[in-house]
Amino acid sequence: MDGKTIIISPKRFLNHFLHLSTTNGPPELPNLFGSFKVDEQNIRDRLMITLNDAPDLCPGFQFAVTAAGPEQDIVCGLYAAGHVPVDKARANTTNAQPNPISRNDDAADCERCAKGEYPTVDWSRLELPIIVTTEASADPYNQSACDSETETDNDLQGRKRVIRSIEACAQSVFDCQPRTPLYMILIISDTARLIYIDRAGVVVTTAFNCRTNEIPIVGSLRRFARPTAAQRGHDSTFQRLDPKSAEAEKTRQRAKTSTPDDYATTLFAESLDSDWPWYCLTLISG
């Protein structure tokens, strides 16, 4: 992620990076983002509600609002339906269930959302992060604003906060998932940008008004949710291990065979942290 940033049009972005999947569904969802104000208190909650309720947008996936970081930054994003983070209030219950935000939530769920009691982000399962800010001047890729003589210190700090959120979010996903690229969506007040980020650099679209032109966001989400995991950016040479699987148990048993003079196996045993996901790497000989 230390390389240069390239800015291209939304159409070119979709055709170049997300051309592998097409859908026969409607090309747009009118007024997808026109039903709520960008400056309202629960903008992220309302946005996830809108996306979850959009018909046939991302089958097999759900959008959720989660908390992350020492200051509990809010991270929106897309998860596979079976891996949506669990609400804090339900985490210690016997029948804990995923709690994606939906208009069908009961009053208690809505009250927890209003208080900011979000589940903790799962970086190992987050498929597509969505960064949301209501500060119209906080677009870190708006070069003309950066060069403007009317730029204020608040504008500068706002752009720095957003770019730090983007970089920290991407780094956290790359730390927990064997990935090639990561796709993201950045929403800044009424405008938005699509982002492709990998360890070489960033490709970002020009800003577009997501209230009057939903096609880039709708198109990217429709195309993202339908191809294979490898086409979504996952490294197919890695396979995640279920902690309860026979392969995971074999791994734990292998670690128990370490002896003080077996340096490699000792390091292997120390690396088996149950708080982190485990992966099995496929080696191709020849």
Side-chain angles (χ1 to χ4, degrees), residues 53 157 162-163 177 217 242 247-248 257 259:
D53 287 353
Q157 295 306 316
V162 173
I163 200 66
Q177 298 182 32
I217 289 183
D242 183 333
E247 192 66 32
T257 64
T259 58

Side-chain angles (χ1 to χ4, degrees), residues 90 92-98:
R90 302 177 179 182
N92 295 321
T93 64
T94 303
N95 298 316
Q97 297 293 324

Side-chain angles (χ1 to χ4, degrees), residues 149-253:
E149 294 181 358
T150 61
E151 179 188 41
T152 67
D153 184 62
N154 285 339
D155 294 339
L156 176 61
Q157 295 306 316
R159 283 194 289 275
K160 286 183 176 180
R161 281 196 301 273
V162 173
I163 200 66
R164 281 198 300 266
S165 294
I166 292 172
E167 292 176 347
C169 186
Q171 188 61 61
S172 295
V173 172
F174 283 128
D175 286 345
C176 295
Q177 298 182 32
R179 274 187 170 271
T180 42
L182 173 69
Y183 293 93
M184 302 177 69
I185 295 176
L186 172 64
I187 297 178
I188 318 107
S189 187
D190 284 332
T191 63
R193 295 180 187 266
L194 309 178
I195 300 174
Y196 171 101
I197 185 168
D198 60 21
R199 292 170 178 82
V202 179
V203 178
V204 59
T205 68
T206 51
F208 55 91
N209 190 309
C210 56
R211 286 183 177 275
T212 60
N213 181 17
E214 299 96 348
I215 292 179
I217 289 183
V218 171
S220 65
L221 291 173
R222 282 189 183 280
R223 297 186 188 194
F224 180 84
R226 285 163 172 79
T228 65
Q231 292 169 340
R232 294 198 307 272
H234 293 277
D235 188 338
S236 58
T237 61
F238 287 84
Q239 180 181 358
R240 184 161 178 163
L241 292 183
D242 183 333
K244 298 180 181 179
S245 68
E247 192 66 32
E249 180 58 28
K250 186 187 299 183
T251 301
R252 283 188 285 266
Q253 293 300 322

Side-chain angles (χ1 to χ4, degrees), residues 4-172:
K4 62 182 180 180
T5 297
I6 300 174
I7 298 180
I8 62 177
S9 70
K11 182 178 180 180
R12 184 180 175 190
F13 185 97
L14 292 176
N15 290 338
H16 183 76
F17 292 112
L18 293 169
H19 67 285
L20 297 173
S21 174
T22 58
T23 173
N24 294 323
E28 57 183 297
L29 295 169
N31 296 321
L32 182 63
F33 301 106
S35 61
F36 55 90
K37 298 178 181 179
V38 297
D39 58 349
E40 68 181 48
Q41 183 178 1
N42 294 324
I43 174 67
R44 297 171 182 84
D45 301 337
R46 293 294 305 277
L47 175 60
M48 295 302 101
I49 288 173
T50 301
L51 293 175
N52 275 328
D53 287 353
D56 197 38
L57 181 60
C58 295
F61 294 87
Q62 291 176 323
F63 296 89
V65 184
T66 55
E71 298 179 358
Q72 291 299 287
D73 295 332
I74 305 302
V75 178
C76 302
L78 185 68
Y79 292 84
H83 300 292
V84 181
V86 175
D87 187 286
K88 290 179 181 179
R90 302 177 179 182
N92 295 321
T93 64
T94 303
N95 298 316
Q97 297 293 324
N99 187 32
I101 291 181
S102 165
R103 282 196 177 92
N104 296 322
D105 281 352
D106 57 29
D109 286 340
C110 295
E111 183 179 354
R112 283 196 292 272
C113 291
K115 292 179 180 179
E117 296 177 354
Y118 300 108
T120 301
V121 62
D122 185 348
W123 297 115
S124 73
R125 296 291 188 182
L126 182 58
E127 289 281 346
L128 187 148
I130 302 176
I131 305 296
V132 182
T133 178
T134 59
E135 300 177 66
S137 61
D139 185 350
Y141 302 110
N142 186 347
Q143 191 59 46
S144 61
C146 296
D147 297 336
S148 173
E149 294 181 358
T150 61
E151 179 188 41
T152 67
D153 184 62
N154 285 339
D155 294 339
L156 176 61
Q157 295 306 316
R159 283 194 289 275
K160 286 183 176 180
R161 281 196 301 273
V162 173
I163 200 66
R164 281 198 300 266
S165 294
I166 292 172
E167 292 176 347
C169 186
Q171 188 61 61
S172 295

